[in-house]
């Protein structure tokens, strides 16, 4: 198997399928509809405003004819391309989701593989902070659907524009992108890390460090920055962040000015969900990216959304003992006594399969071996098909749990 | 979008999801369990015994470090790799399925894309013809699940070893692979095509052409070849084919000695399902490939399975008017009258989303526009949230179909 990838054997696949079904059902409860895109995109689209690290991480296809293609590294860029293609005809807001794979060429480690699933959600066509609240609420709703509460998970929110509006007194417009990236790299680390990151790009300013460390409830943060210099755009954005926070469950949410998000395409409110113990990377994250549609050749359209990382989330659920239960039940195992009755055993099997999960002996084993196998796959009942029974139109049905057996008419089965 | 690939907008995605759910449910009824593999494999594995055409068709990844990887072109090779990795510990027979994407670099045309879905099913660990019958029956069962009958679909079956056993009098062992490939390329075409294909590889023999044209019920074919020269292995294989056919529904099945299957890894019984009108490529196809496990580094293990092409099948269902119905219902649209009541409208929405699919106005539209939008998405009921109502703990619920409205206590909603 390729490095940093993963096979799913039946048990693990069943758990994943149940998780995906939960995500999909929650998205539908919010009125989102499912879409799907090819796994690859043109490199031109993939590298539109995603930051320099991402280019390095793209799995490139060998160039053939004149297409330069790469595997996608998130679902936002392809979903935006999908939107742009039909932007004029679609009634707004467009609310889409997708549960699918992405690829990043980076060092595999705990909670990080080169091939990984994301649950991606995007809304196109509304600049209202209500939409940011809607998608953040959906993340929280998903956490709850898996049994998590505000005791385990924290939702950190911020706004790129608010942060930039506050930094504008200390940082030139030219330095701004680098500073935001430095703050993102230092997120969750101690003060010294941020200082080092900033020094690395030629910024030595304690005010910047102090700003990036402000966090608390919306009210607390607002009062801490009340006397700070702030641009007009920053002030407007503060109001939007307040409006969004008013629509979120307070117990789950913390405003954190040090949250910046790695991708360059974010333009407004950003957010990330973390385990409160702080042991894992972000479980989900997203934000507003109003400029991406035009970068992909569409008309300017406000947009916001998130990506939910299934692998770190699975690991987290496992730690918490909250992995969803799955069960695959084989209701009947049909056991032909000898070769002569196999066609009839197959007919019985086919009939039962209209309603039940049924196995029939495929290996030509002795009856005792067939019973052993039936028990090993957890079959509930074994139907013994023998010639003498069949002459009377009968089979013997044995309930493996109760240890009881009875003769049943073939026509009454099912 | 990359050439020969496809985006799935909500309506089409919903249909596809319903189809996948049907395939999965039918496989489970047969006792198969779901697995999943990475989209890419080592080129070494991908090119193990798959025939020279396939190599050309692999989407190769740009080489990085020392891994040479390519996107899979079918599900059989990766599933076999999965089996080989745990071959010793798994109780046999192992019955797995997978519904997932594959990629082939070839010219896109009707029913053929470069990125395409397959429903793949494999059984490892039994050499009994019962297993071949089991997987063929599953294909037929799936056809029936979508409303198709033996009037529309025909299942052609053959055996590579039987064909080789009959050809042995006219074809040297060295020429055999090329002859099989020529027969495969000419399948479904007229006699002249086969003659031309055979001439192309230096074979001009009417007996070969005649053999490849024998078809009919198992009984008819058996009587037609009764006087032919046949190897011992061919004779044994004829018995196996008879045994398998005895377990299949006669009305669906035709033995066709001209069916050879493109991939070199097949070793025994092979089959393909076609629309009887003959307008489309094979809808599903498969066969026995007992040598593949050892080619992928495992112990020799009998194996059989099939791939079901979702795209040609979708096109066929559309032609027949049998595309499954889907429906996405928005039960409530929550309409705040003004900005002040938005937080309460969100609380009501969150509560209703525990049970229903619910949208809330995200764009700050006027009430009349909200009603228009609610109707356009087919919402069943609109909940109008206004300050005066709220003071009394009430909202107004309007049933859009019946045109009736009533006042409801907020606490009674949901």
């Amino acid at each position: 198997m390729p490095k940093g990838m993963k096979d799913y054997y039946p048990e693990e696949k069943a758990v994943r399928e149940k998780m995906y079904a939960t995500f999909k059902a929650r998205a539908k409860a919010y009125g989102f509809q499912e879409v799907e895109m090819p796994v690859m995109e043109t490199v031109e689209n993939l590298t539109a405003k995603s930051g320099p690290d991402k280019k390095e991480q793209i799995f490139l296809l060998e160039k053939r004819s004149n297409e330069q293609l790469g595997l996608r590294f998130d679902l936002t860029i392809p979903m935006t391309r999908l939107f742009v293609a039909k932007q004029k005809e679609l009634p707004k807001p467009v609310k889409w989701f997708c549960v699918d794979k992405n690829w990043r060429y980076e060092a595999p480690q705990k909670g990080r593989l080169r091939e990984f699933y994301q649950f991606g959600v995007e809304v196109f066509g509304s600049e209202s902070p209500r939409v940011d609240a809607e998608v953040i609420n959906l993340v929280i709703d998903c956490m709850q659907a898996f049994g998590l509460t505000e005791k385990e998970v924290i939702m950190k929110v911020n706004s790129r524009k608010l942060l930039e509006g506050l930094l504008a007194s200390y940082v030139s417009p030219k330095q701004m992108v680098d500073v935001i990236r430095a703050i993102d790299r230092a997120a969750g680390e101690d003060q010294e890390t941020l200082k080092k990151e900033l020094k690395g790009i030629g910024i030595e300013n304690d005010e910047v460090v102090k700003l990036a460390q402000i966090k608390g409830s919306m009210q607390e943060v607002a009062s801490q920055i009340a006397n700070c210099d702030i641009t007009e755009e920053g002030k407007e954005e503060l109001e939007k962040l307040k409006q969004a926070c008013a629509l979120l469950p307070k117990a789950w949410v913390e405003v954190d000015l040090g949250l910046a998000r790695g991708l360059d395409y974010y333009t407004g409110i950003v957010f990330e969900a973390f385990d409160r113990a702080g042991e894992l990377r972000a479980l989900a994250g997203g934000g507003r990216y109003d400029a991406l549609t035009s970068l992909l050749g569409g008309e300017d359209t406000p947009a916001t959304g998130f990506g939910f990382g299934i692998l770190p989330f699975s690991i987290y659920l496992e730690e918490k003992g909250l992995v969803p239960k799955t069960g695959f039940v084989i209701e009947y195992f049909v056991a032909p006594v000898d070769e002569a009755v196999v066609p009839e055993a197959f007919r019985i099997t086919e009939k039962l399969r209209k309603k039940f999960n049924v196995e029939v002996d495929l290996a030509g084993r002795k009856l005792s071996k067939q019973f052993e196998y039936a028990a090993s796959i957890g079959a509930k009942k074994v139907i013994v098909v023998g010639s003498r029974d069949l002459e009377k139109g009968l089979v013997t049905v044995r309930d493996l749990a109760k240890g009881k057996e009875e003769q049943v008419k073939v026509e009454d089965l099912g």
Side-chain angles (χ1 to χ4, degrees), chain A residues 92 127 130 148 165 177 190 215 231 288 323 341 344 354 412:
Chain A
K92 318 288 177 309
E127 58 187 349
R130 293 186 203 182
L148 291 161
V177 173
D190 61 11
K215 56 185 162 186
T231 60
R288 183 164 280 282
V323 174
V341 296
E344 184 58 20
K354 302 282 175 217
D412 293 343

PDB file of all heavy atoms in Angstrom, chain A residues 92 127 130 148 165 177 190 215 231 288 323 341 344 354 412:
ATOM      1  N   LYS A  92     -29.979  31.546  -4.646  1.00  0.00           N
ATOM      2  CA  LYS A  92     -29.062  31.721  -3.517  1.00  0.00           C
ATOM      3  C   LYS A  92     -29.809  31.757  -2.185  1.00  0.00           C
ATOM      4  O   LYS A  92     -30.944  32.177  -2.171  1.00  0.00           O
ATOM      5  CB  LYS A  92     -28.254  33.022  -3.660  1.00  0.00           C
ATOM      6  CG  LYS A  92     -27.726  33.334  -5.045  1.00  0.00           C
ATOM      7  CD  LYS A  92     -26.606  32.430  -5.444  1.00  0.00           C
ATOM      8  CE  LYS A  92     -26.137  32.709  -6.876  1.00  0.00           C
ATOM      9  NZ  LYS A  92     -27.171  32.750  -7.933  1.00  0.00           N
ATOM     10  N   GLU A 127     -23.692  37.271   2.394  1.00  0.00           N
ATOM     11  CA  GLU A 127     -22.599  37.842   3.185  1.00  0.00           C
ATOM     12  C   GLU A 127     -23.002  38.026   4.643  1.00  0.00           C
ATOM     13  O   GLU A 127     -22.236  38.512   5.459  1.00  0.00           O
ATOM     14  CB  GLU A 127     -22.136  39.159   2.582  1.00  0.00           C
ATOM     15  CG  GLU A 127     -23.238  40.190   2.463  1.00  0.00           C
ATOM     16  CD  GLU A 127     -22.771  41.430   1.688  1.00  0.00           C
ATOM     17  OE1 GLU A 127     -21.555  41.547   1.443  1.00  0.00           O
ATOM     18  OE2 GLU A 127     -23.615  42.258   1.348  1.00  0.00           O
ATOM     19  N   ARG A 130     -25.164  35.577   9.660  1.00  0.00           N
ATOM     20  CA  ARG A 130     -26.054  34.441   9.968  1.00  0.00           C
ATOM     21  C   ARG A 130     -25.517  33.156   9.335  1.00  0.00           C
ATOM     22  O   ARG A 130     -25.662  32.074   9.886  1.00  0.00           O
ATOM     23  CB  ARG A 130     -27.446  34.678   9.370  1.00  0.00           C
ATOM     24  CG  ARG A 130     -28.210  35.806   9.999  1.00  0.00           C
ATOM     25  CD  ARG A 130     -29.609  35.806   9.412  1.00  0.00           C
ATOM     26  NE  ARG A 130     -30.217  37.120   9.527  1.00  0.00           N
ATOM     27  CZ  ARG A 130     -31.439  37.414   9.134  1.00  0.00           C
ATOM     28  NH1 ARG A 130     -32.189  36.478   8.580  1.00  0.00           N
ATOM     29  NH2 ARG A 130     -31.927  38.619   9.282  1.00  0.00           N
ATOM     30  N   LEU A 148     -20.781  14.248  21.989  1.00  0.00           N
ATOM     31  CA  LEU A 148     -19.836  15.184  22.614  1.00  0.00           C
ATOM     32  C   LEU A 148     -20.572  16.423  23.125  1.00  0.00           C
ATOM     33  O   LEU A 148     -21.589  16.828  22.562  1.00  0.00           O
ATOM     34  CB  LEU A 148     -18.769  15.593  21.604  1.00  0.00           C
ATOM     35  CG  LEU A 148     -17.802  14.466  21.214  1.00  0.00           C
ATOM     36  CD1 LEU A 148     -17.091  14.785  19.912  1.00  0.00           C
ATOM     37  CD2 LEU A 148     -16.797  14.214  22.343  1.00  0.00           C
ATOM     38  N   GLY A 165      -7.489  44.535  11.078  1.00  0.00           N
ATOM     39  CA  GLY A 165      -7.844  45.904  11.476  1.00  0.00           C
ATOM     40  C   GLY A 165      -7.127  46.330  12.746  1.00  0.00           C
ATOM     41  O   GLY A 165      -6.822  47.513  12.940  1.00  0.00           O
ATOM     42  N   VAL A 177       0.141  39.503   5.154  1.00  0.00           N
ATOM     43  CA  VAL A 177      -0.063  38.070   4.870  1.00  0.00           C
ATOM     44  C   VAL A 177       0.942  37.220   5.654  1.00  0.00           C
ATOM     45  O   VAL A 177       0.579  36.200   6.260  1.00  0.00           O
ATOM     46  CB  VAL A 177       0.060  37.759   3.359  1.00  0.00           C
ATOM     47  CG1 VAL A 177       0.026  36.259   3.095  1.00  0.00           C
ATOM     48  CG2 VAL A 177      -1.064  38.434   2.579  1.00  0.00           C
ATOM     49  N   ASP A 190       3.115  28.206  22.733  1.00  0.00           N
ATOM     50  CA  ASP A 190       3.338  29.247  23.730  1.00  0.00           C
ATOM     51  C   ASP A 190       3.789  30.564  23.081  1.00  0.00           C
ATOM     52  O   ASP A 190       4.039  30.637  21.883  1.00  0.00           O
ATOM     53  CB  ASP A 190       4.353  28.782  24.789  1.00  0.00           C
ATOM     54  CG  ASP A 190       5.700  28.472  24.166  1.00  0.00           C
ATOM     55  OD1 ASP A 190       5.900  28.799  22.988  1.00  0.00           O
ATOM     56  OD2 ASP A 190       6.544  27.885  24.868  1.00  0.00           O
ATOM     57  N   LYS A 215      -8.128  36.431  24.192  1.00  0.00           N
ATOM     58  CA  LYS A 215      -9.222  35.494  23.966  1.00  0.00           C
ATOM     59  C   LYS A 215     -10.208  35.482  25.122  1.00  0.00           C
ATOM     60  O   LYS A 215      -9.899  35.969  26.208  1.00  0.00           O
ATOM     61  CB  LYS A 215      -8.705  34.092  23.709  1.00  0.00           C
ATOM     62  CG  LYS A 215      -7.815  33.500  24.762  1.00  0.00           C
ATOM     63  CD  LYS A 215      -7.294  32.140  24.277  1.00  0.00           C
ATOM     64  CE  LYS A 215      -6.076  31.716  25.089  1.00  0.00           C
ATOM     65  NZ  LYS A 215      -5.471  30.488  24.540  1.00  0.00           N
ATOM     66  N   THR A 231      -9.028  49.818  12.356  1.00  0.00           N
ATOM     67  CA  THR A 231      -9.494  50.413  11.095  1.00  0.00           C
ATOM     68  C   THR A 231     -11.015  50.380  11.023  1.00  0.00           C
ATOM     69  O   THR A 231     -11.672  49.644  11.782  1.00  0.00           O
ATOM     70  CB  THR A 231      -8.952  49.615   9.892  1.00  0.00           C
ATOM     71  OG1 THR A 231      -9.435  48.266   9.996  1.00  0.00           O
ATOM     72  CG2 THR A 231      -7.433  49.623   9.853  1.00  0.00           C
ATOM     73  N   ARG A 288     -14.900  32.291   6.176  1.00  0.00           N
ATOM     74  CA  ARG A 288     -15.457  33.008   5.030  1.00  0.00           C
ATOM     75  C   ARG A 288     -14.368  33.245   3.994  1.00  0.00           C
ATOM     76  O   ARG A 288     -13.243  33.607   4.345  1.00  0.00           O
ATOM     77  CB  ARG A 288     -16.038  34.328   5.533  1.00  0.00           C
ATOM     78  CG  ARG A 288     -16.715  35.169   4.506  1.00  0.00           C
ATOM     79  CD  ARG A 288     -17.571  36.238   5.144  1.00  0.00           C
ATOM     80  NE  ARG A 288     -18.850  35.700   5.577  1.00  0.00           N
ATOM     81  CZ  ARG A 288     -19.887  35.447   4.749  1.00  0.00           C
ATOM     82  NH1 ARG A 288     -19.765  35.670   3.445  1.00  0.00           N
ATOM     83  NH2 ARG A 288     -21.020  34.980   5.207  1.00  0.00           N
ATOM     84  N   VAL A 323     -17.123   5.778  19.713  1.00  0.00           N
ATOM     85  CA  VAL A 323     -17.194   5.249  18.346  1.00  0.00           C
ATOM     86  C   VAL A 323     -18.571   4.616  18.137  1.00  0.00           C
ATOM     87  O   VAL A 323     -19.010   3.821  18.966  1.00  0.00           O
ATOM     88  CB  VAL A 323     -16.085   4.200  18.106  1.00  0.00           C
ATOM     89  CG1 VAL A 323     -16.237   3.529  16.741  1.00  0.00           C
ATOM     90  CG2 VAL A 323     -14.707   4.847  18.228  1.00  0.00           C
ATOM     91  N   VAL A 341     -28.514 -31.723  -3.321  1.00  0.00           N
ATOM     92  CA  VAL A 341     -29.544 -30.767  -2.898  1.00  0.00           C
ATOM     93  C   VAL A 341     -29.090 -29.303  -3.047  1.00  0.00           C
ATOM     94  O   VAL A 341     -29.817 -28.382  -2.681  1.00  0.00           O
ATOM     95  CB  VAL A 341     -29.991 -31.012  -1.433  1.00  0.00           C
ATOM     96  CG1 VAL A 341     -30.646 -32.385  -1.313  1.00  0.00           C
ATOM     97  CG2 VAL A 341     -28.817 -30.868  -0.472  1.00  0.00           C
ATOM     98  N   GLU A 344     -31.478 -26.845  -4.860  1.00  0.00           N
ATOM     99  CA  GLU A 344     -32.625 -26.468  -4.032  1.00  0.00           C
ATOM    100  C   GLU A 344     -32.177 -25.531  -2.902  1.00  0.00           C
ATOM    101  O   GLU A 344     -32.881 -24.569  -2.566  1.00  0.00           O
ATOM    102  CB  GLU A 344     -33.316 -27.716  -3.469  1.00  0.00           C
ATOM    103  CG  GLU A 344     -34.577 -27.440  -2.683  1.00  0.00           C
ATOM    104  CD  GLU A 344     -35.670 -26.695  -3.470  1.00  0.00           C
ATOM    105  OE1 GLU A 344     -35.631 -26.702  -4.719  1.00  0.00           O
ATOM    106  OE2 GLU A 344     -36.540 -26.089  -2.809  1.00  0.00           O
ATOM    107  N   LYS A 354     -34.542 -11.974  -0.464  1.00  0.00           N
ATOM    108  CA  LYS A 354     -35.427 -10.846  -0.753  1.00  0.00           C
ATOM    109  C   LYS A 354     -35.612 -10.002   0.503  1.00  0.00           C
ATOM    110  O   LYS A 354     -35.816  -8.806   0.439  1.00  0.00           O
ATOM    111  CB  LYS A 354     -36.804 -11.330  -1.243  1.00  0.00           C
ATOM    112  CG  LYS A 354     -36.772 -12.204  -2.488  1.00  0.00           C
ATOM    113  CD  LYS A 354     -36.582 -11.398  -3.767  1.00  0.00           C
ATOM    114  CE  LYS A 354     -36.437 -12.310  -4.975  1.00  0.00           C
ATOM    115  NZ  LYS A 354     -35.467 -11.794  -5.950  1.00  0.00           N
ATOM    116  N   ASP A 412     -43.056 -22.068   3.445  1.00  0.00           N
ATOM    117  CA  ASP A 412     -43.319 -21.124   4.543  1.00  0.00           C
ATOM    118  C   ASP A 412     -42.088 -20.318   4.948  1.00  0.00           C
ATOM    119  O   ASP A 412     -42.164 -19.428   5.807  1.00  0.00           O
ATOM    120  CB  ASP A 412     -43.846 -21.872   5.783  1.00  0.00           C
ATOM    121  CG  ASP A 412     -45.224 -22.477   5.532  1.00  0.00           C
ATOM    122  OD1 ASP A 412     -45.865 -22.032   4.552  1.00  0.00           O
ATOM    123  OD2 ASP A 412     -45.630 -23.366   6.290  1.00  0.00           O
TER     124      ASP A 412
END
